[in-house]
Amino acid sequence: MRKTYLVVALFGLIAIVGNHLTSPSSGRAVSPEDFAGACAPCGAPCPSKK
């Protein structure tokens, strides 16, 4: 029974890693210059600049 759980867990882990490695990337890396003039890390503008 323990071997069955081990096989299922390994198969699940391999499936997750395989799916992650074969998925397309988001396109480009994000640089800090993309957020110049933003207050929040997500790039939201400062409320005082509205």
Side-chain angles (χ1 to χ4, degrees):
M1 192 66 156
R2 215 180 278 192
K3 289 181 182 181
T4 304
Y5 287 132
L6 182 63
V7 168
V8 169
L10 283 174
F11 179 75
L13 184 63
I14 290 169
I16 291 171
V17 170
N19 184 25
H20 172 71
L21 292 176
T22 59
S23 65
S25 66
S26 62
R28 65 177 183 88
V30 178
S31 66
E33 289 84 23
D34 292 342
F35 302 117
C39 290
C42 64
C46 294
S48 60
K49 291 185 178 182
K50 288 184 178 178

